[in-house]
Amino acid sequence: MSIASTNRMTPYLFLAPAGLVLAFALFYPICYMIYASFLDWNPSQRIGEAEFVGLRNYFKLFGDDAFRESMGVTLKFAAVVVTIEMFLGVGLALLLDRNIRGMSVLRTLFILPMMIAPIVVGLMWRYMYHPTVGIFNKTLKSWGFDGIPWLSDGSWAFASVVIADVWQWTPFIFILSLAALQSLPASAIEASKIDGASDWQQIIYIKLPLMLPVLIVTLLLRLIDSFKVLEVILVMTNGGPGLSTEILSLRINRTASEFRELGEAAAMSNLLLIVLLILTFTMFIYNKAQDARAARLRAVEEEA
Amino acid sequence: MPDIRLQNLRKDYGAVNVIENLNLDMADGEFTVLVGPSGCGKSTTLRMIAGLESVTGGQIMIGDRDVSRLEPKERDLAMVFQDYALYPHMNVAKNMSFALRLARMNKADIETRVKEVAATLDLTAYLDRKPAELSGGQRQRVAMGRALVRDAGTFLFDEPLSNLDAKLRGQMRAELALMSQRIKKNMIYVTHDQVEAMTLGDKIVVMKFGEIMQAGTPEELYRNPSNKFVAGFIGSPTMNFLTAELVEEGGTLSAKGDGFAIPLPDARKSSLQVHKDRQIHLGIRPSSFAEGPGGLKMPVILSEYIGAQSVLISELGGERVAIEVNTVVPIRAGEAREFTVQGDEVHLFDPKTEAAL
């Protein structure tokens, strides 16, 4: 081998160990899961003993009303929480992007919910939603109102898990939006003041358009995350009442542990993975497009 | 177009006082240049006039209106920023028309106005481009255009040419001078470049540490600097400073230093009497040296040949001095030459207060 080609190989040589670990840690479980989704597999069997059934698990899923409902709940949940969180997070960032005393403390307080373990968040909210001793119903009753069936009525239960998720994850959008806001070119905002823009006009015509690239990435990240939420809902409602809060990851969990259908659970996981992959690819392509655009513009500029 | 007056203007950042008791009158339609080294408070002053910085004390009057507590948009002004501050997500036409659109001017009028201004700035071909797709000079012109379409009463410029390369800066400086002749408006221009200040300003305000050192026409500042700082700041190459003593010999007062004595004109004798036999600082512009026989014999340590002129670095009284002479053929370093200095062309400064004598 010539020296030149050895030199070219060197970086790959150094990357190889990490690459191997990655391949094993990432691809082995995925391949295992894809293979498992073609089996009729009971947890009491070893994988070799399970019967190969081809695409039967998938066909069964598409015919399964409960799965379809669960998919619907997941999509509805993701759409609702991400929309509310985007509005609140960006709104808070716009509101708190100023230099007044104690603001840094306030900002830190705002991101606290994000740091609490999801199980704890679930437990916390379950106690607060408790029909008799929970703080919400106690307060309502002390004001002379009827208590609300927070977790025992289907529509209220959905709203309740949405509220808990919004409480926990709005800070994520808040900090990313705030970072985006604070890195905006100060002089462009000053120029808009001179040009006569009111505070609202500055937000609508200057700040939001300039934040847009960050907001899109934030939205996608949050969307991906909201498809995978499990613990909070598991602790609060365990998918009930009925199937009203049974999001996909909960259904997968139940299919595997309660119904003892490992193959079917694997098939569901694969479908969820495909949905997430589509979202991730969207993000990837968006980033690529942004980079390409920036590179093209730079090239034009340097030529001039 | 009203005149602008700054009265007892003060700016503190927390406990730090940046500007204290600044007073300045700018006449209607005047091109005023605030100039000084970094940190002298010139940009802060401009930003206070713009309304981008709050005023700690004092007043900013535009005409008979006290604008010091008003929002920028209520002050009827347009501004060109150092980094141009274009809106990156809007094309050139949108950038230029932003203020007019906010003011709800009708669409046809906006279009006419933008096209008019774009034509005068050679931007017609670029109206659909985004700022990132333009060169530095073009962006600069867009920033200028955005201010011009406004037809505001006052134009503010915050070092608008400092991000351009030397050649482009020269071109833009000339265009700016032409523009200011064409539209007679109040213009306030901040720069650290004394050449820009001299060529553009009707009035130059030299600042240092938040104080005005001197305000006047370019000629006044060049001919009669009121202190050593202004004398050293205005003029290129910069003035030479030497230490000397005022002595009277045979009825003539002269500035005598180590190896030189420059007789001063009789007209200044009476006013300088009190400083007799004291140490003073002597300021001589590089262009005040004239080559000729019978003068001071000075060595040429370094010769910077620029073409029609050469700047010679020499030594006098133990100090480095620069001498500007007209040349056709380069002067070689290593020679010794004779130079005379006329007594009415030297500047004298008090060594303690640095005020002109």
Side-chain angles (χ1 to χ4, degrees):
Chain A
M1 212 181 337
S2 70
I3 291 170
S5 70
T6 316
N7 278 347
R8 262 204 311 278
M9 295 291 289
T10 312
Y12 299 104
L13 211 70
F14 281 112
L15 283 174
L20 276 174
V21 172
L22 191 73
F24 188 77
L26 190 68
F27 293 113
Y28 179 76
I30 290 180
C31 294
Y32 196 92
M33 184 174 78
I34 292 172
Y35 175 61
S37 71
F38 299 126
L39 303 176
D40 181 5
W41 183 18
N42 188 296
S44 60
Q45 296 168 306
R46 273 184 288 130
I47 193 164
E49 296 166 356
E51 183 193 351
F52 188 85
V53 293
L55 288 172
R56 201 183 74 191
N57 285 329
Y58 289 93
F59 288 128
K60 201 169 147 198
L61 281 182
F62 289 124
D64 180 1
D65 284 341
F67 171 75
R68 280 214 299 269
E69 186 166 350
S70 181
M71 193 66 162
V73 170
T74 308
L75 291 175
K76 194 167 105 183
F77 178 79
V80 171
V81 294
V82 172
T83 309
I84 297 176
E85 284 164 14
M86 283 303 283
F87 272 104
L88 284 181
V90 175
L92 277 174
L94 288 167
L95 213 61
L96 296 184
D97 175 34
R98 55 195 66 196
N99 292 318
I100 52 175
R101 275 163 67 93
M103 192 51 80
S104 56
V105 179
L106 206 61
R107 282 183 202 144
T108 316
L109 282 179
F110 264 107
I111 60 173
L112 269 180
M114 225 170 75
M115 303 183 219
I116 304 173
I119 292 276
V120 180
V121 172
L123 281 171
M124 228 169 67
W125 281 91
R126 201 169 97 184
Y127 292 135
M128 291 200 287
Y129 283 136
H130 193 279
T132 50
V133 297
I135 185 163
F136 295 132
N137 274 3
K138 262 171 88 173
T139 312
L140 282 175
K141 279 174 188 161
S142 72
W143 289 346
F145 295 105
D146 286 337
I148 289 172
W150 293 108
L151 299 178
S152 49
D153 173 87
S155 347
W156 277 112
F158 184 78
S160 301
V161 295
V162 165
I163 291 170
D165 192 88
V166 167
W167 179 83
Q168 192 180 18
W169 288 109
T170 299
F172 175 75
I173 291 168
F174 166 70
I175 48 170
L176 289 187
S177 308
L178 194 65
L181 257 178
Q182 286 174 344
S183 63
L184 293 187
S187 62
I189 293 165
E190 287 180 341
S192 74
K193 282 185 201 165
I194 302 254
D195 273 346
S198 65
D199 289 352
W200 262 115
Q201 287 167 327
Q202 284 170 42
I203 290 172
I204 306 239
Y205 296 121
I206 310 292
K207 291 181 181 171
L208 285 179
L210 291 183
M211 285 164 76
L212 201 62
V214 176
L215 292 185
I216 288 176
V217 173
T218 312
L219 178 96
L220 283 170
L221 282 175
R222 212 32 228 121
L223 213 51
I224 289 170
D225 253 6
S226 67
F227 273 103
K228 299 190 302 186
V229 67
L230 169 72
E231 299 96 322
V232 176
I233 298 180
L234 179 80
V235 172
M236 276 173 67
T237 64
N238 195 17
L243 294 179
S244 60
T245 59
E246 191 175 78
I247 49 148
L248 214 49
S249 48
L250 250 177
R251 176 127 201 111
I252 294 168
N253 184 31
R254 281 179 74 191
T255 309
S257 59
E258 241 174 82
F259 311 146
R260 300 169 71 80
E261 295 276 6
L262 290 185
E264 219 175 288
M268 266 189 242
S269 301
N270 282 341
L271 288 176
L272 184 59
L273 183 70
I274 287 167
V275 172
L276 294 182
L277 275 180
I278 291 171
L279 282 176
T280 312
F281 261 114
T282 315
M283 190 159 99
F284 178 73
I285 288 166
Y286 175 79
N287 277 340
K288 273 270 175 237
Q290 286 276 318
D291 288 350
R293 185 164 168 267
R296 181 169 52 85
L297 295 181
R298 253 198 312 281
V300 171
E301 192 188 339
E302 269 154 23
E303 208 174 296
Chain B
M1 290 170 295
D3 48 343
I4 300 173
R5 268 172 300 141
L6 311 182
Q7 297 173 332
N8 307 323
L9 203 60
R10 182 187 172 90
K11 176 72 189 172
D12 296 337
Y13 287 108
V16 184
N17 174 242
V18 191
I19 287 164
E20 193 179 359
N21 204 25
L22 191 96
N23 287 286
L24 184 64
D25 279 15
M26 289 165 263
D28 175 17
E30 197 172 44
F31 198 123
T32 308
V33 180
L34 306 180
V35 66
S38 324
C40 73
K42 54 191 192 300
S43 279
T44 309
T45 307
L46 188 81
R47 291 168 58 81
M48 280 197 284
I49 298 171
L52 298 172
E53 295 285 348
S54 62
V55 173
T56 311
Q59 288 173 319
I60 298 166
M61 307 287 293
I62 299 184
D64 46 13
R65 222 158 52 107
D66 178 3
V67 301
S68 37
R69 302 285 183 278
L70 298 182
E71 288 288 312
K73 61 177 175 177
E74 296 166 300
R75 301 187 185 199
D76 184 31
L77 33 86
M79 182 159 170
V80 179
F81 291 79
Q82 181 174 10
D83 61 356
Y84 318 136
L86 299 177
Y87 310 125
H89 58 297
M90 298 184 193
N91 64 25
V92 171
K94 289 256 161 69
N95 258 288
M96 287 171 65
S97 63
F98 187 61
L100 305 181
R101 283 183 287 137
L102 288 179
R104 300 194 186 282
M105 196 174 175
N106 89 49
K107 272 203 178 132
D109 289 349
I110 292 180
E111 208 182 313
T112 330
R113 186 95 189 97
V114 168
K115 282 198 173 142
E116 236 172 63
V117 174
T120 64
L121 289 168
D122 256 340
L123 286 171
T124 311
Y126 306 104
L127 284 174
D128 293 327
R129 296 245 195 133
K130 293 262 178 74
E133 298 163 309
L134 300 174
S135 70
Q138 290 163 342
R139 282 186 222 179
Q140 218 289 328
R141 291 210 298 275
V142 176
M144 217 71 107
R146 189 172 63 181
L148 283 175
V149 290
R150 296 271 310 278
D151 199 32
T154 305
F155 286 82
L156 308 177
F157 300 88
D158 188 4
E159 307 209 21
L161 306 184
S162 61
N163 283 1
L164 299 177
D165 61 53
K167 189 179 163 209
L168 214 49
R169 199 180 312 154
Q171 280 174 14
M172 285 309 294
R173 201 170 61 214
E175 278 185 38
L176 250 169
L178 285 173
M179 186 191 87
S180 77
Q181 276 177 10
R182 208 171 52 235
I183 53 158
K184 268 288 169 194
K185 301 253 185 180
N186 298 326
M187 307 226 180
I188 307 176
Y189 188 103
V190 161
T191 179
H192 60 262
D193 179 354
Q194 58 95 17
V195 178
E196 266 173 41
M198 294 291 276
T199 49
L200 289 170
D202 295 324
K203 179 202 256 167
I204 298 179
V205 180
V206 180
M207 294 179 69
K208 184 193 177 188
F209 299 140
E211 278 177 51
I212 294 178
M213 303 306 285
Q214 190 177 2
T217 64
E219 200 188 348
E220 269 167 26
L221 263 61
Y222 186 77
R223 286 184 179 276
N224 302 310
S226 64
N227 52 57
K228 197 176 159 189
F229 179 78
V230 174
F233 197 82
I234 300 290
S236 172
T238 53
M239 189 185 271
N240 301 298
F241 294 105
L242 301 168
T243 309
E245 201 176 326
L246 271 187
V247 292
E248 193 170 0
E249 281 169 347
T252 312
L253 211 55
S254 54
K256 192 168 188 225
D258 183 10
F260 65 92
I262 300 166
L264 301 170
D266 289 339
R268 301 179 72 173
K269 199 171 163 183
S270 57
S271 65
L272 290 172
Q273 231 12 278
V274 280
H275 299 281
K276 207 169 83 178
D277 298 327
R278 283 197 208 159
Q279 211 186 48
I280 48 143
H281 282 169
L282 187 66
I284 309 171
R285 293 215 181 270
S287 56
S288 296
F289 290 92
E291 205 178 352
L296 303 158
K297 210 168 173 72
M298 293 166 69
V300 178
I301 299 170
L302 189 72
S303 167
E304 294 174 333
Y305 177 72
I306 306 165
Q309 271 101 35
S310 281
V311 176
L312 310 177
I313 307 295
S314 181
E315 203 165 44
L316 188 61
E319 303 270 353
R320 284 275 157 83
V321 292
I323 299 169
E324 192 175 40
V325 286
N326 292 335
T327 45
V328 183
V329 194
I331 295 172
R332 257 176 301 163
E335 300 174 23
R337 297 207 164 208
E338 287 181 59
F339 296 96
T340 55
V341 179
Q342 294 304 315
D344 54 359
E345 287 193 39
V346 301
H347 302 264
L348 305 175
F349 303 98
D350 187 306
K352 274 209 191 86
T353 63
E354 300 202 336
L357 302 176

